Amino acid sequence: MKVIVTENKIQGGAKAFEIFEKGIKNGAKVLGLATAETLYQNWVKSDLNCEDLTSINLDEYVGLTPDNPQSYHYFMQKHLFDKKPFKHSYIPNGMAKDIDEEVDRYNDIIAANPIDIQILGIGRNGHIAFNEPGTPFGSLTHKVQLTESTIKANSRFFDNEDEVPRQAICMGIKSIMQSKKIVLLAFGESKQDAVKALVEGPVTEEVPA
């Protein structure tokens, strides 16, 4: 593990982009993506060509259409794909009629496209994507019941807490850890305990990161 400290999230996003850019120029073709606006701000301003790249996103809410402004489909289109089209862009389908089938389909996509570089955020309780404390380390893509703390934290993006979806499709911890390189971004004092547990604490399912 290499820890990089920056003065603020703007510098952090720029540093993360440097890592992705170097990796892509060295042959990385499959990128695991998340909602990382500071990273994509640098990405879209660059001359990096993404037409031969494949992206696989971490997660998506169940029940939100791709054109819903709170869906991760919408976020990715707005902040990256509309400006930097990829060869293939995979995001879980939260509107699938059979979520279990969608989970299987997504696991097949990941198996067929091993991820070269994965971007991650971290929650205050150490969660990564929607993998909350207690998620088995051996988990693959799965349907998640969102915890009350996650629903409350994400309610800031919605008009009210009742609008926050209660379920999501999420890449599992084993799937994430199969990535060849992982870049995890953490900004702000609210994340300091989670980062301390990640860097210094014991390896335990109570701290997924």
Side-chain angles (χ1 to χ4, degrees):
M1 182 189 301
K2 180 179 180 180
V3 178
I4 300 172
V5 180
T6 63
E7 186 173 339
N8 52 49
K9 68 179 182 180
I10 295 173
Q11 291 182 7
K15 183 63 181 177
F17 174 69
E18 286 180 18
I19 295 170
F20 270 82
E21 184 178 40
K22 182 179 179 180
I24 292 165
K25 289 180 177 179
N26 286 335
K29 291 291 185 182
V30 182
L31 309 179
L33 300 184
T35 53
E37 188 172 354
T38 52
L39 167 62
Y40 303 142
Q41 287 171 349
N42 291 275
W43 205 311
V44 300
K45 289 186 289 188
S46 76
D47 59 1
L48 193 62
N49 189 316
C50 301
E51 293 178 353
D52 288 332
L53 302 178
T54 295
S55 66
I56 304 177
N57 263 67
L58 282 170
D59 44 22
E60 179 60 286
Y61 288 115
V62 170
L64 294 190
T65 59
D67 60 354
N68 187 305
Q70 303 307 330
S71 74
Y72 295 151
H73 272 85
Y74 185 94
F75 179 98
M76 295 303 303
Q77 286 295 144
K78 178 180 178 181
H79 292 285
L80 184 61
F81 298 147
D82 284 346
K83 304 172 182 69
K84 294 283 187 179
F86 280 56
K87 182 178 180 180
H88 298 292
S89 296
Y90 298 108
I91 304 176
N93 178 11
M95 295 299 294
K97 292 183 179 179
D98 189 321
I99 297 298
D100 290 336
E101 283 187 6
E102 176 61 12
V103 164
D104 290 341
R105 183 187 76 90
Y106 215 67
N107 279 322
D108 289 342
I109 289 171
I110 297 168
N113 299 275
I115 295 171
D116 293 306
I117 312 176
Q118 173 72 60
I119 188 75
L120 288 180
I122 185 171
R124 296 179 185 183
N125 61 1
H127 74 247
I128 47 176
F130 284 120
N131 293 297
E132 297 286 352
T135 302
F137 285 156
S139 60
L140 300 176
T141 304
H142 56 291
K143 181 173 67 175
V144 180
Q145 288 289 143
L146 303 187
T147 64
E148 286 302 315
S149 61
T150 295
I151 291 169
K152 187 173 182 178
N154 289 2
S155 65
R156 68 188 188 277
F157 302 117
F158 294 80
D159 289 337
N160 59 70
E161 193 171 310
D162 291 338
E163 292 186 2
V164 183
R166 266 48 185 175
Q167 295 180 325
I169 299 172
C170 177
M171 194 184 295
I173 294 176
K174 182 177 180 179
S175 306
I176 292 169
M177 291 301 295
Q178 288 173 339
S179 306
K180 297 171 187 174
K181 181 188 290 285
I182 295 173
V183 181
L184 186 146
L185 302 180
F187 303 120
E189 291 182 7
S190 66
K191 302 293 180 70
Q192 64 182 5
D193 290 341
V195 172
K196 180 179 176 63
L198 161 65
V199 176
E200 299 178 0
V203 177
T204 166
E205 291 180 353
E206 292 310 304
V207 183

